[in-house]
């Protein structure tokens, strides 16, 4: 049914050229009281590690991007946006993305319904790329405390699976049948 973007994980594992050094992070950059008006690759790494996640790739979605995994196995991306402009050498915004492989159960109606139910994130469907994505966009203009940036990450990671439940609803009858089958086997 819904699976993490396994193809990307496999491709990254095969082609990963980053050293272990790329996965280290100075978590002091993610200090709650630090105000940021832009973020760098080091900031993104610090945010992920400070929140207890494991970095699995650096630079796969552009120069200022990190792929990481939660302790529950949810894979997500932190991607810098509006980078290297006349206003900053770093990125003036960032996206948090959770992605799933699509399947025959994905419909435009389900994507639209997910967008209506969870407006704090944008749900999208790349039919050609066989991907369903959930994105939370953070604009850093005027500055934000790192605490707020990390809360945006927490919200996106909490909403990703909820959005997936809208797109791939659990059939209660099927769930209970499975549950009772498990109990019968004991």
């Amino acid at each position: 049914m819904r699976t993490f973007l396994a193809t990307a994980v496999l491709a990254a594992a095969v082609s990963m050229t980053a050293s272990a050094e790329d996965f280290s992070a100075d978590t002091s950059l993610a200090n709650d009281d630090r105000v940021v008006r832009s973020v760098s690759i080091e900031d993104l790494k610090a945010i992920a590690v400070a929140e207890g996640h494991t970095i699995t790739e650096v630079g796969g979605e552009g120069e200022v991007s990190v792929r990481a995994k939660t302790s529950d196995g949810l894979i997500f991306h932190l991607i810098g946006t509006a980078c290297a402009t006349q206003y900053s050498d770093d990125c003036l915004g960032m996206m948090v993305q959770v992605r799933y492989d699509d399947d025959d159960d994905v419909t435009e109606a389900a994507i639209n319904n997910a967008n209506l139910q969870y407006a704090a994130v944008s749900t999208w469907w790349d039919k050609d790329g066989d991907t369903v994505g959930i994105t939370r966009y953070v604009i850093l203009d005027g500055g934000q405390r790192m605490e707020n940036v990390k809360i945006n990450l927490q919200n996106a990671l909490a909403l990703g699976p909820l959005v997936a439940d809208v797109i791939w609803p659990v059939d209660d009858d099927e769930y209970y049948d499975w549950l009772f089958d498990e109990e019968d086997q004991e």
Side-chain angles (χ1 to χ4, degrees):
M1 193 153 312
R2 60 182 154 163
T3 58
F4 296 112
L5 203 51
T7 321
V9 173
L10 179 60
V14 171
S15 66
M16 188 173 298
T17 58
S19 69
E21 185 176 309
D22 291 332
F23 295 177
S24 65
D26 176 3
T27 56
S28 69
L29 294 173
N31 180 309
D32 283 351
D33 291 328
R34 181 174 170 237
V35 175
V36 292
R37 289 176 173 74
S38 61
V39 291
S40 67
I41 187 65
E42 295 305 318
D43 292 316
L44 297 184
K45 291 188 322 185
I47 291 164
V49 172
E51 287 297 294
H53 308 302
T54 303
I55 295 173
T56 60
E57 179 184 58
V58 174
E61 296 292 324
E63 192 173 315
V64 184
S65 68
V66 170
R67 184 181 65 218
K69 180 173 64 167
T70 68
S71 60
D72 294 336
L74 182 65
I75 297 170
F76 66 93
H77 300 262
L78 298 176
I79 304 168
T81 60
C83 303
T85 67
Q86 66 187 23
Y87 304 104
S88 175
D89 290 336
D90 292 327
C91 302
L92 299 172
M94 65 174 255
M95 291 187 288
V96 179
Q97 287 188 348
V98 175
R99 303 174 189 170
Y100 297 96
D101 289 332
D102 76 353
D103 62 20
D104 292 339
D105 294 334
V106 178
T107 64
E108 290 175 3
I111 299 295
N112 290 337
N113 192 23
N115 273 314
L116 290 172
Q117 286 191 39
Y118 296 104
V121 292
S122 297
T123 304
W124 46 273
W125 182 19
D126 178 1
K127 293 180 187 179
D128 295 332
D130 299 325
T131 305
V132 171
I134 297 98
T135 300
R136 182 156 177 114
Y137 188 70
V138 181
I139 298 172
L140 300 171
D141 295 0
Q144 288 194 38
R145 292 177 63 227
M146 269 295 187
E147 178 182 32
N148 190 46
V149 174
K150 292 188 292 187
I151 288 170
N152 274 281
L153 170 60
Q154 293 165 10
N155 288 335
L157 296 180
L159 291 172
L162 296 175
V163 168
D165 287 344
V166 171
I167 296 168
W168 294 279
V170 175
D171 179 357
D172 286 342
D173 292 335
E174 184 178 304
Y175 173 77
Y176 288 115
D177 287 346
W178 169 83
L179 180 65
F180 290 123
D181 287 344
E182 283 285 316
E183 290 174 357
D184 291 341
Q185 292 178 6
E186 292 180 3

